[in-house]
Amino acid sequence: QQQVKQSPQSLIVQKGGISIINCAYENTAFDYFPWYQQFPGKGPALLIAIRPDVSEKKEGRFTISFNKSAKQFSLHIMDSQPGDSATYFCAATAIYNQGGKLIFGQGTELSVKP
Amino acid sequence: GAGVSQSPSNKVTEKGKDVELRCDPISGHTALYWYRQSLGQGLEFLIYFQGNSAPDKSGLPSDRFSAERTGGSVSTLTIQRTQQEDSAVYLCASSWTSGTFFTNEQFFGPGTRLTVL
């Protein structure tokens, strides 16, 4: 019940295209859903996050869509650029019940071709 | 300002040896987390410290793993009698909290790559 399932494992997108990564969870106590971006040799960095009281959050080219009833959330990267090539992790936590410890998806390796 | 720092950046050890990994969180951050990143298991939570509260050790994979946080700042993760399956990147993260209020964003260090031969 603590799992977060992420797909696809890898994704190749042309420059200017839309990258879509999906995640699903089981634990209804989760109340915070961040997406992290990781470049090789670096630690993950927070990209964007959402709480379950909203269905969508947009920051620049990055959008999270959240479907509470389906227990799914997704990351959309609009106008994908080669610099977006990285590994993306979705995560979830129950902030106050679990102290913010993150449960991560398995990661998606995104490659944006010029 | 300085981010989360970890040392060493790389550690190669022989099976059966003990290793210590160090994490310096961002100044003022009261919450500190350790995670492990490996090819087979992805990113896994290990242990969490919050202020003076007892740490949440629920993610530690065995009793060979332990961690401490001195003075509410620097943390050390110790792995005793290392095994080959301990080979992974060990990541530390910190975040700011005030009592029961969490800011949510965890700032990660670059990690320590541990290789057990």
Side-chain angles (χ1 to χ4, degrees):
Chain A
Q1 200 182 21
Q2 285 288 82
Q3 274 190 319
V4 176
K5 295 182 180 178
Q6 182 173 345
S7 64
Q9 238 180 336
S10 63
L11 182 61
I12 300 175
V13 172
Q14 291 296 317
K15 179 182 174 181
I18 302 174
S19 305
I20 302 174
I21 305 170
N22 301 298
C23 285
Y25 64 97
E26 289 294 325
N27 189 347
T28 55
F30 287 152
D31 57 10
Y32 175 67
F33 303 87
W35 285 89
Y36 279 81
Q37 179 189 56
Q38 186 177 31
F39 293 103
K42 305 289 187 184
L46 180 68
L47 193 61
I48 186 172
I50 198 168
R51 294 287 186 107
D53 52 348
V54 297
S55 60
E56 186 174 283
K57 182 175 181 180
K58 183 176 180 179
E59 289 183 3
R61 296 184 295 109
F62 302 93
T63 300
I64 298 180
S65 297
F66 187 84
N67 186 328
K68 188 174 181 178
S69 60
K71 290 184 282 187
Q72 295 175 347
F73 58 111
S74 61
L75 175 70
H76 296 232
I77 305 175
M78 312 299 288
D79 187 26
S80 299
Q81 299 297 311
D84 297 332
S85 298
T87 301
Y88 293 80
F89 293 92
C90 63
T93 188
I95 288 289
Y96 294 100
N97 292 337
Q98 296 186 356
K101 63 186 183 188
L102 295 169
I103 308 300
F104 285 93
Q106 288 298 96
T108 296
E109 194 171 341
L110 171 66
S111 178
V112 181
K113 299 300 185 184
Chain B
V4 177
S5 61
Q6 293 186 245
S7 60
S9 55
N10 281 285
K11 177 72 177 179
V12 180
T13 191
E14 294 180 347
K15 178 182 173 182
K17 300 282 189 183
D18 296 352
V19 295
E20 286 188 351
L21 312 179
R22 177 187 168 106
C23 171
D24 283 87
I26 292 173
S27 178
H29 281 192
T30 54
L32 186 147
Y33 307 80
W34 283 97
Y35 296 88
R36 179 170 70 174
Q37 185 169 26
S38 58
L39 280 175
Q41 300 299 321
L43 268 161
E44 305 171 276
F45 164 78
L46 296 177
I47 188 170
Y48 152 66
F49 296 89
Q50 162 55 11
N52 295 321
S53 303
D56 176 348
K57 305 179 183 179
S58 60
L60 294 179
S62 78
D63 58 8
R64 296 184 297 103
F65 288 72
S66 63
E68 64 177 19
R69 189 177 185 192
T70 53
S73 182
V74 171
S75 177
T76 302
L77 177 69
T78 301
I79 309 173
Q80 296 179 309
R81 305 181 303 281
T82 51
Q83 303 294 312
Q84 287 181 332
E85 60 263 28
D86 299 335
S87 295
V89 175
Y90 289 82
L91 292 159
C92 174
S94 70
S95 68
W96 183 85
T97 68
S98 175
T100 56
F101 175 77
F102 293 78
T103 58
N104 308 331
E105 179 170 5
Q106 294 182 25
F107 294 83
F108 282 79
T112 294
R113 180 174 297 278
L114 175 66
T115 304
V116 182
L117 301 176

PDB file of all heavy atoms in Angstrom, chain B residues 23-38:
ATOM      1  N   CYS B  23      26.765  13.597   6.303  1.00  0.00           N
ATOM      2  CA  CYS B  23      25.855  14.551   5.671  1.00  0.00           C
ATOM      3  C   CYS B  23      25.844  15.858   6.455  1.00  0.00           C
ATOM      4  O   CYS B  23      25.635  15.851   7.683  1.00  0.00           O
ATOM      5  CB  CYS B  23      24.435  13.982   5.609  1.00  0.00           C
ATOM      6  SG  CYS B  23      23.189  15.184   5.067  1.00  0.00           S
ATOM      7  N   ASP B  24      26.065  16.975   5.764  1.00  0.00           N
ATOM      8  CA  ASP B  24      25.934  18.304   6.348  1.00  0.00           C
ATOM      9  C   ASP B  24      24.694  18.956   5.755  1.00  0.00           C
ATOM     10  O   ASP B  24      24.706  19.335   4.581  1.00  0.00           O
ATOM     11  CB  ASP B  24      27.152  19.163   6.051  1.00  0.00           C
ATOM     12  CG  ASP B  24      28.333  18.821   6.915  1.00  0.00           C
ATOM     13  OD1 ASP B  24      29.098  17.921   6.537  1.00  0.00           O
ATOM     14  OD2 ASP B  24      28.451  19.428   7.985  1.00  0.00           O
ATOM     15  N   PRO B  25      23.628  19.102   6.531  1.00  0.00           N
ATOM     16  CA  PRO B  25      22.398  19.669   5.966  1.00  0.00           C
ATOM     17  C   PRO B  25      22.524  21.179   5.798  1.00  0.00           C
ATOM     18  O   PRO B  25      23.476  21.800   6.248  1.00  0.00           O
ATOM     19  CB  PRO B  25      21.357  19.317   7.023  1.00  0.00           C
ATOM     20  CG  PRO B  25      22.137  19.322   8.308  1.00  0.00           C
ATOM     21  CD  PRO B  25      23.493  18.780   7.952  1.00  0.00           C
ATOM     22  N   ILE B  26      21.521  21.749   5.171  1.00  0.00           N
ATOM     23  CA  ILE B  26      21.458  23.195   5.040  1.00  0.00           C
ATOM     24  C   ILE B  26      21.253  23.792   6.433  1.00  0.00           C
ATOM     25  O   ILE B  26      20.434  23.291   7.222  1.00  0.00           O
ATOM     26  CB  ILE B  26      20.315  23.601   4.094  1.00  0.00           C
ATOM     27  CG1 ILE B  26      20.659  23.151   2.667  1.00  0.00           C
ATOM     28  CG2 ILE B  26      20.068  25.106   4.129  1.00  0.00           C
ATOM     29  CD1 ILE B  26      19.537  23.333   1.664  1.00  0.00           C
ATOM     30  N   SER B  27      22.007  24.849   6.724  1.00  0.00           N
ATOM     31  CA  SER B  27      21.927  25.480   8.039  1.00  0.00           C
ATOM     32  C   SER B  27      20.497  25.903   8.345  1.00  0.00           C
ATOM     33  O   SER B  27      19.820  26.531   7.532  1.00  0.00           O
ATOM     34  CB  SER B  27      22.852  26.704   8.062  1.00  0.00           C
ATOM     35  OG  SER B  27      22.758  27.367   9.305  1.00  0.00           O
ATOM     36  N   GLY B  28      20.031  25.531   9.539  1.00  0.00           N
ATOM     37  CA  GLY B  28      18.680  25.899   9.945  1.00  0.00           C
ATOM     38  C   GLY B  28      17.630  24.863   9.636  1.00  0.00           C
ATOM     39  O   GLY B  28      16.502  24.937  10.142  1.00  0.00           O
ATOM     40  N   HIS B  29      17.964  23.882   8.805  1.00  0.00           N
ATOM     41  CA  HIS B  29      17.011  22.813   8.498  1.00  0.00           C
ATOM     42  C   HIS B  29      16.982  21.823   9.654  1.00  0.00           C
ATOM     43  O   HIS B  29      17.996  21.284  10.045  1.00  0.00           O
ATOM     44  CB  HIS B  29      17.398  22.100   7.202  1.00  0.00           C
ATOM     45  CG  HIS B  29      17.012  22.850   5.978  1.00  0.00           C
ATOM     46  ND1 HIS B  29      17.047  22.286   4.715  1.00  0.00           N
ATOM     47  CD2 HIS B  29      16.542  24.116   5.813  1.00  0.00           C
ATOM     48  CE1 HIS B  29      16.629  23.180   3.835  1.00  0.00           C
ATOM     49  NE2 HIS B  29      16.324  24.292   4.489  1.00  0.00           N
ATOM     50  N   THR B  30      15.775  21.581  10.161  1.00  0.00           N
ATOM     51  CA  THR B  30      15.655  20.721  11.327  1.00  0.00           C
ATOM     52  C   THR B  30      15.345  19.271  10.969  1.00  0.00           C
ATOM     53  O   THR B  30      15.507  18.379  11.782  1.00  0.00           O
ATOM     54  CB  THR B  30      14.556  21.249  12.265  1.00  0.00           C
ATOM     55  OG1 THR B  30      13.344  21.395  11.518  1.00  0.00           O
ATOM     56  CG2 THR B  30      14.953  22.597  12.841  1.00  0.00           C
ATOM     57  N   ALA B  31      14.860  19.043   9.760  1.00  0.00           N
ATOM     58  CA  ALA B  31      14.549  17.676   9.341  1.00  0.00           C
ATOM     59  C   ALA B  31      15.661  17.174   8.415  1.00  0.00           C
ATOM     60  O   ALA B  31      16.120  17.886   7.532  1.00  0.00           O
ATOM     61  CB  ALA B  31      13.204  17.628   8.625  1.00  0.00           C
ATOM     62  N   LEU B  32      16.073  15.933   8.647  1.00  0.00           N
ATOM     63  CA  LEU B  32      17.142  15.336   7.850  1.00  0.00           C
ATOM     64  C   LEU B  32      16.739  13.913   7.496  1.00  0.00           C
ATOM     65  O   LEU B  32      16.256  13.171   8.359  1.00  0.00           O
ATOM     66  CB  LEU B  32      18.468  15.352   8.618  1.00  0.00           C
ATOM     67  CG  LEU B  32      19.718  14.893   7.875  1.00  0.00           C
ATOM     68  CD1 LEU B  32      20.938  15.659   8.371  1.00  0.00           C
ATOM     69  CD2 LEU B  32      19.946  13.407   7.953  1.00  0.00           C
ATOM     70  N   TYR B  33      16.909  13.565   6.246  1.00  0.00           N
ATOM     71  CA  TYR B  33      16.500  12.263   5.730  1.00  0.00           C
ATOM     72  C   TYR B  33      17.692  11.591   5.057  1.00  0.00           C
ATOM     73  O   TYR B  33      18.496  12.243   4.408  1.00  0.00           O
ATOM     74  CB  TYR B  33      15.392  12.417   4.677  1.00  0.00           C
ATOM     75  CG  TYR B  33      14.187  13.218   5.109  1.00  0.00           C
ATOM     76  CD1 TYR B  33      14.206  14.611   5.105  1.00  0.00           C
ATOM     77  CD2 TYR B  33      13.009  12.580   5.499  1.00  0.00           C
ATOM     78  CE1 TYR B  33      13.092  15.345   5.489  1.00  0.00           C
ATOM     79  CE2 TYR B  33      11.894  13.311   5.874  1.00  0.00           C
ATOM     80  CZ  TYR B  33      11.944  14.697   5.867  1.00  0.00           C
ATOM     81  OH  TYR B  33      10.830  15.414   6.246  1.00  0.00           O
ATOM     82  N   TRP B  34      17.750  10.267   5.152  1.00  0.00           N
ATOM     83  CA  TRP B  34      18.673   9.463   4.363  1.00  0.00           C
ATOM     84  C   TRP B  34      17.845   8.565   3.428  1.00  0.00           C
ATOM     85  O   TRP B  34      16.855   7.948   3.853  1.00  0.00           O
ATOM     86  CB  TRP B  34      19.536   8.580   5.258  1.00  0.00           C
ATOM     87  CG  TRP B  34      20.662   9.276   5.949  1.00  0.00           C
ATOM     88  CD1 TRP B  34      20.679   9.769   7.225  1.00  0.00           C
ATOM     89  CD2 TRP B  34      21.964   9.537   5.421  1.00  0.00           C
ATOM     90  NE1 TRP B  34      21.897  10.321   7.513  1.00  0.00           N
ATOM     91  CE2 TRP B  34      22.721  10.190   6.421  1.00  0.00           C
ATOM     92  CE3 TRP B  34      22.594   9.283   4.188  1.00  0.00           C
ATOM     93  CZ2 TRP B  34      24.039  10.595   6.245  1.00  0.00           C
ATOM     94  CZ3 TRP B  34      23.905   9.684   4.007  1.00  0.00           C
ATOM     95  CH2 TRP B  34      24.620  10.329   5.022  1.00  0.00           C
ATOM     96  N   TYR B  35      18.292   8.506   2.182  1.00  0.00           N
ATOM     97  CA  TYR B  35      17.696   7.628   1.185  1.00  0.00           C
ATOM     98  C   TYR B  35      18.823   6.830   0.514  1.00  0.00           C
ATOM     99  O   TYR B  35      19.987   7.222   0.546  1.00  0.00           O
ATOM    100  CB  TYR B  35      16.958   8.427   0.097  1.00  0.00           C
ATOM    101  CG  TYR B  35      15.774   9.223   0.571  1.00  0.00           C
ATOM    102  CD1 TYR B  35      15.919  10.525   1.043  1.00  0.00           C
ATOM    103  CD2 TYR B  35      14.487   8.674   0.537  1.00  0.00           C
ATOM    104  CE1 TYR B  35      14.824  11.262   1.473  1.00  0.00           C
ATOM    105  CE2 TYR B  35      13.391   9.404   0.962  1.00  0.00           C
ATOM    106  CZ  TYR B  35      13.569  10.694   1.431  1.00  0.00           C
ATOM    107  OH  TYR B  35      12.469  11.427   1.857  1.00  0.00           O
ATOM    108  N   ARG B  36      18.433   5.727  -0.103  1.00  0.00           N
ATOM    109  CA  ARG B  36      19.387   4.910  -0.852  1.00  0.00           C
ATOM    110  C   ARG B  36      18.857   4.767  -2.265  1.00  0.00           C
ATOM    111  O   ARG B  36      17.659   4.493  -2.469  1.00  0.00           O
ATOM    112  CB  ARG B  36      19.535   3.539  -0.185  1.00  0.00           C
ATOM    113  CG  ARG B  36      20.476   2.606  -0.892  1.00  0.00           C
ATOM    114  CD  ARG B  36      20.775   1.371  -0.066  1.00  0.00           C
ATOM    115  NE  ARG B  36      19.662   0.459   0.064  1.00  0.00           N
ATOM    116  CZ  ARG B  36      19.755  -0.726   0.655  1.00  0.00           C
ATOM    117  NH1 ARG B  36      20.926  -1.132   1.161  1.00  0.00           N
ATOM    118  NH2 ARG B  36      18.697  -1.515   0.748  1.00  0.00           N
ATOM    119  N   GLN B  37      19.770   4.923  -3.225  1.00  0.00           N
ATOM    120  CA  GLN B  37      19.377   4.795  -4.625  1.00  0.00           C
ATOM    121  C   GLN B  37      20.195   3.686  -5.273  1.00  0.00           C
ATOM    122  O   GLN B  37      21.418   3.754  -5.350  1.00  0.00           O
ATOM    123  CB  GLN B  37      19.593   6.112  -5.375  1.00  0.00           C
ATOM    124  CG  GLN B  37      19.096   6.082  -6.809  1.00  0.00           C
ATOM    125  CD  GLN B  37      19.077   7.462  -7.452  1.00  0.00           C
ATOM    126  OE1 GLN B  37      19.822   8.364  -7.084  1.00  0.00           O
ATOM    127  NE2 GLN B  37      18.194   7.645  -8.439  1.00  0.00           N
ATOM    128  N   SER B  38      19.514   2.658  -5.710  1.00  0.00           N
ATOM    129  CA  SER B  38      20.193   1.546  -6.371  1.00  0.00           C
ATOM    130  C   SER B  38      19.407   1.148  -7.602  1.00  0.00           C
ATOM    131  O   SER B  38      18.221   1.449  -7.725  1.00  0.00           O
ATOM    132  CB  SER B  38      20.346   0.350  -5.421  1.00  0.00           C
ATOM    133  OG  SER B  38      19.075  -0.068  -4.960  1.00  0.00           O
TER     134      SER B  38
END
